[in-house]
Amino acid sequence: MDDDGPFVETSITARLRSCKGDVMDRWARRVLEDPRAARAPRPAGPLLAREVPELFDDLVEVLSASRRAEQRGGEDAELRCAHARVEEHARRCAAQGSCIAAALRELSHLRAALIEVCVEQGISLGVSEAQVIHAAVDASMWTSALEIEAATRAALEDSGALLRLATRAGGVGVWDYDTVTGKLRWDERSREVAGLDPASEVRYDVFLAAIHPDDRERVQEAVRRSQTLESGGEYSIEYRLVGLCNGVERWVAVQGRTFFDAEGRSVRMIGTVIDVTERKRAEAARREELVRRGRFMAAFSHYLRTPLTSITLASRMLTHHGNLTPRQARNAERIAASARRMARTIDDLLDLTRSRCGANGIPIAPRPEDLHALCKSAIDELRAAHPGVPIRLDVEGSGAGLWDAERVAQMVTNLVQNAVDHADPGSAVGVTVRPRGGDLLIEVHNDGPSIAPELMETLFDPFHPATAGGRTSTGRGLGLGLFIAQQIAKAHRGEIAVESTAARGTTFTARLPRTGEAVGS
């Protein structure tokens, strides 16, 4: 691929939205061809034909809101609203429950249809994206199960029939724990998931024995925490069960709530259990795939660096000792510049792999540094590379702090390079470093076309070159600069924000805590 040519890949959320029709067709086909579905008379199409398309939109919006919340450093009101809309649609789906079993099965088919279309369309979901989508679908099933339980309780006098119905419909097990007497009751599905035969007595020690030894302490702590008023009684956890009679290992997602008496003492816990083994296996396979990709990229980069080193050394020898004509000297410099550009591209791809494969993103090694000096050094190099673009640097206060010097310089270079690429011809790029509380802010400003609001969501996506005013960056080509800059800021427990208007231009603001403490340290 030509280095100057744009390499554009649409965002995952945009691609999912574009596949909505395919997902809905696949979902409807799965529902109508489901051999295990109840054979009650139904209309020409699925029971939830009107509700599920809107639910799909909300699932994609949860993924989009989750990514924006991650960029801002955690869950926020927008993400909570997106989850609330999913739950509201789940309640509407449950309200269509002229056939409760059909309603729950149709919701379960939505997840399968979405995954199948992603595979067919080549939409590669990362671990975090897959977790968000699965969690949203699980929450929808969980909400539907609760709504179904509430709606059916009034219509059924026999609570045993209610629990059996929920088990058959959605594979949801229901449990009840009397924290005063220690009595524990599991329905048929809960016993099945735990590998316990129907006739065996269920006690709390039996429940603990069924938990995988590596997860047991974590589960006990979650139970203890849920029985305190400070927790609000919420109990939500995923762990492994090892079948007591069959030895089969399964992952389960358990949700519950503790009820308290007038004096604030826990008296009862009620909840559900869902087998999520298939999801966990898919996540593990995805992690293994990322590790394999990382190993391949490391080997591939090593393979490319060897000839690149030879090219670089040869071009230097020609330049300094070759007694070249002016034309030959220019060609030798082009060779050296191309080799440097290829080396930077390899570094970017390796950083992308590290951010995807590593639990904590790009690794950093903070040490005492002067951020002002780091910025000045990076900008001096950019000035030499772009002599026709004025680049101003203004600093305020002290630049002392703990940073990974090489990574911070890389982040500054990427942000300023992006500003240079999109600045109006003849205009200057301004860089300001100033303190704010315990942080330092690096503000990179340029006057140029504003960034369209619809592009803000994908601005920091990998392989998505930043565009402004319909113009694509002609810088490093792969569209990894802003993505890597953001990952470096996050590795320092910081963030990058952007503001862009036609009147005031575009400003990227990187916030770095002075402590420089690495994520995961």
Side-chain angles (χ1 to χ4, degrees), residues 198-235:
S200 297
E201 181 184 2
V202 181
R203 302 183 309 275
Y204 190 74
D205 61 330
V206 173
F207 158 66
L208 291 179
I211 300 172
H212 192 285
D214 293 343
D215 296 340
R216 192 170 296 147
E217 183 177 349
R218 181 168 58 88
V219 174
Q220 288 180 283
E221 175 57 30
V223 171
R224 286 193 293 267
R225 186 168 56 250
S226 71
Q227 294 183 38
T228 63
L229 287 174
E230 293 77 12
S231 70
E234 294 292 336
Y235 178 61

Side-chain angles (χ1 to χ4, degrees), residues 25-39 42-47 106 109:
D25 291 342
R26 178 65 58 89
W27 168 74
R29 188 161 61 251
R30 286 183 61 90
V31 170
L32 295 177
E33 296 176 356
D34 186 355
R36 295 179 295 172
R39 291 302 166 197
R42 66 166 68 191
L47 176 69
E106 288 187 12
H109 281 306

Side-chain angles (χ1 to χ4, degrees), residues 231-421:
S231 70
E234 294 292 336
Y235 178 61
S236 177
I237 191 172
E238 294 184 356
Y239 55 87
R240 289 164 292 179
L241 287 174
V242 180
L244 292 169
C245 296
N246 55 22
V248 175
E249 182 178 309
R250 306 188 192 206
W251 274 96
V252 293
V254 183
Q255 302 275 352
R257 177 177 290 277
T258 299
F259 297 89
F260 303 91
D261 62 15
E263 297 181 0
R265 294 173 298 193
S266 65
V267 294
R268 191 180 187 187
M269 291 181 68
I270 299 176
T272 62
V273 57
I274 301 175
D275 187 340
V276 294
T277 305
E278 183 177 345
R279 166 163 68 87
K280 287 292 187 178
R281 286 174 179 169
E283 292 172 359
R286 176 60 178 168
R287 287 192 295 270
E288 291 177 3
E289 178 188 354
L290 290 174
V291 170
R292 287 195 297 270
R293 289 183 184 180
R295 290 172 179 167
F296 170 78
M297 285 301 302
F300 186 59
S301 65
H302 177 73
Y303 175 80
L304 290 179
R305 285 183 191 279
T306 300
L308 272 178
T309 300
S310 299
I311 293 171
T312 301
L313 291 175
S315 65
R316 287 178 181 172
M317 290 180 65
L318 283 173
T319 301
H320 292 92
H321 307 290
N323 194 24
L324 304 178
T325 66
R327 182 178 180 181
Q328 291 171 336
R330 287 195 299 271
N331 288 335
E333 176 55 33
R334 289 195 187 104
I335 293 172
S338 296
R340 289 193 297 269
R341 189 161 58 249
M342 289 181 67
R344 288 196 302 267
T345 300
I346 293 172
D347 289 339
D348 284 351
L349 290 172
L350 283 174
D351 284 340
L352 172 66
T353 302
R354 293 187 188 103
S355 68
R356 289 287 180 83
C357 297
N360 300 312
I362 293 178
I364 62 172
R367 298 181 61 182
E369 300 285 353
D370 185 339
L371 190 60
H372 295 168
L374 296 178
C375 291
K376 183 179 184 303
S377 176
I379 291 172
D380 285 344
E381 292 185 11
L382 287 165
R383 284 170 176 159
H386 303 280
V389 180
I391 304 176
R392 298 193 302 265
L393 173 62
D394 297 312
V395 299
E396 301 175 13
S398 169
L402 294 175
W403 334 98
D404 185 313
E406 182 177 348
R407 288 301 188 182
V408 170
Q410 182 183 9
M411 180 191 73
V412 173
T413 298
N414 289 358
L415 292 176
V416 177
Q417 178 67 62
N418 179 72
V420 169
D421 290 339

Side-chain angles (χ1 to χ4, degrees), residues 68-151:
R68 290 192 293 269
E70 182 181 2
Q71 293 173 6
R72 292 190 288 263
E75 186 173 338
D76 58 5
E78 181 185 13
L79 180 56
R80 290 193 294 272
C81 288
H83 277 292
R85 285 195 295 273
V86 168
E87 294 179 359
E88 177 58 30
H89 273 300
R91 293 187 183 94
R92 294 181 189 176
C93 292
Q96 302 300 317
S98 56
C99 177
I100 294 175
L104 281 177
R105 292 203 63 80
E106 288 187 12
L107 287 175
S108 70
H109 281 306
L110 176 60
R111 185 209 312 265
L114 179 58
I115 293 175
E116 288 175 1
V117 170
C118 283
V119 173
E120 291 180 0
Q121 297 294 326
I123 301 175
S124 180
L125 297 176
V127 173
S128 61
E129 288 94 349
Q131 288 175 334
V132 168
I133 289 178
H134 281 303
V137 175
D138 287 345
S140 174
M141 295 289 291
W142 160 249
T143 301
S144 298
L146 290 181
E147 291 295 315
I148 289 169
E149 180 182 2

